[in-house]
Short mmCIF file of all heavy atoms in Angstrom, two decimals:
data_model
loop_
_atom_site.label_atom_id
_atom_site.label_comp_id
_atom_site.label_asym_id
_atom_site.label_seq_id
_atom_site.Cartn_x
_atom_site.Cartn_y
_atom_site.Cartn_z
N LEU A 13 -21.38 -9.91 -6.64
CA LEU A 13 -20.40 -10.65 -5.85
C LEU A 13 -20.99 -11.10 -4.52
O LEU A 13 -20.79 -12.24 -4.09
CB LEU A 13 -19.16 -9.79 -5.61
CG LEU A 13 -18.26 -9.58 -6.80
CD1 LEU A 13 -17.18 -8.56 -6.48
CD2 LEU A 13 -17.63 -10.88 -7.23
N VAL A 14 -21.75 -10.23 -3.87
CA VAL A 14 -22.37 -10.58 -2.59
C VAL A 14 -23.40 -11.70 -2.79
O VAL A 14 -23.48 -12.63 -1.97
CB VAL A 14 -23.01 -9.34 -1.94
CG1 VAL A 14 -23.86 -9.70 -0.76
CG2 VAL A 14 -21.92 -8.35 -1.53
N LEU A 15 -24.17 -11.64 -3.87
CA LEU A 15 -25.13 -12.71 -4.15
C LEU A 15 -24.41 -14.04 -4.40
O LEU A 15 -24.88 -15.10 -3.99
CB LEU A 15 -26.00 -12.35 -5.34
CG LEU A 15 -27.04 -11.25 -5.10
CD1 LEU A 15 -27.73 -10.89 -6.41
CD2 LEU A 15 -28.03 -11.67 -4.06
N GLY A 16 -23.26 -14.00 -5.06
CA GLY A 16 -22.47 -15.21 -5.27
C GLY A 16 -21.98 -15.80 -3.97
O GLY A 16 -22.01 -17.02 -3.76
N VAL A 17 -21.54 -14.94 -3.07
CA VAL A 17 -21.07 -15.41 -1.76
C VAL A 17 -22.24 -16.00 -0.96
O VAL A 17 -22.08 -17.02 -0.28
CB VAL A 17 -20.41 -14.25 -0.99
CG1 VAL A 17 -20.15 -14.62 0.46
CG2 VAL A 17 -19.10 -13.86 -1.67
N LEU A 18 -23.41 -15.38 -1.06
CA LEU A 18 -24.58 -15.94 -0.38
C LEU A 18 -24.94 -17.32 -0.92
O LEU A 18 -25.34 -18.20 -0.14
CB LEU A 18 -25.77 -14.99 -0.50
CG LEU A 18 -25.68 -13.72 0.33
CD1 LEU A 18 -26.87 -12.81 0.02
CD2 LEU A 18 -25.63 -14.04 1.81
N CYS A 19 -24.80 -17.52 -2.21
CA CYS A 19 -25.04 -18.86 -2.78
C CYS A 19 -24.06 -19.87 -2.21
O CYS A 19 -24.44 -21.01 -1.91
CB CYS A 19 -24.90 -18.81 -4.30
SG CYS A 19 -26.29 -18.10 -5.15
N LEU A 20 -22.82 -19.47 -2.04
CA LEU A 20 -21.83 -20.39 -1.47
C LEU A 20 -22.12 -20.69 0.00
O LEU A 20 -21.92 -21.82 0.46
CB LEU A 20 -20.43 -19.81 -1.61
CG LEU A 20 -19.90 -19.75 -3.04
CD1 LEU A 20 -18.59 -19.00 -3.08
CD2 LEU A 20 -19.75 -21.13 -3.63
N ILE A 21 -22.61 -19.71 0.74
CA ILE A 21 -22.97 -19.94 2.14
C ILE A 21 -24.16 -20.90 2.24
O ILE A 21 -24.15 -21.81 3.07
CB ILE A 21 -23.28 -18.60 2.84
CG1 ILE A 21 -21.99 -17.79 2.99
CG2 ILE A 21 -23.94 -18.81 4.19
CD1 ILE A 21 -22.20 -16.38 3.45
N VAL A 22 -25.16 -20.71 1.38
CA VAL A 22 -26.31 -21.62 1.38
C VAL A 22 -25.86 -23.02 0.99
O VAL A 22 -26.31 -24.01 1.58
CB VAL A 22 -27.41 -21.10 0.42
CG1 VAL A 22 -28.48 -22.14 0.19
CG2 VAL A 22 -28.01 -19.82 0.96
N TYR A 23 -24.96 -23.12 0.03
CA TYR A 23 -24.44 -24.43 -0.38
C TYR A 23 -23.75 -25.12 0.80
O TYR A 23 -23.94 -26.31 1.03
CB TYR A 23 -23.45 -24.26 -1.53
CG TYR A 23 -22.72 -25.54 -1.88
CD1 TYR A 23 -23.33 -26.51 -2.65
CD2 TYR A 23 -21.44 -25.78 -1.42
CE1 TYR A 23 -22.69 -27.69 -2.97
CE2 TYR A 23 -20.79 -26.95 -1.72
CZ TYR A 23 -21.41 -27.91 -2.50
OH TYR A 23 -20.77 -29.07 -2.80
N GLU A 40 -20.28 -14.69 -9.49
CA GLU A 40 -18.96 -14.16 -9.17
C GLU A 40 -18.25 -13.63 -10.41
O GLU A 40 -17.72 -12.52 -10.41
CB GLU A 40 -18.10 -15.24 -8.49
CG GLU A 40 -18.59 -15.67 -7.14
CD GLU A 40 -18.32 -14.66 -6.05
OE1 GLU A 40 -17.34 -13.91 -6.16
OE2 GLU A 40 -19.10 -14.63 -5.09
#
Side-chain angles (χ1 to χ4, degrees):
L13 287 172
V14 170
L15 289 174
V17 169
L18 288 175
C19 283
L20 291 173
I21 290 171
V22 169
Y23 172 80
E40 294 285 332

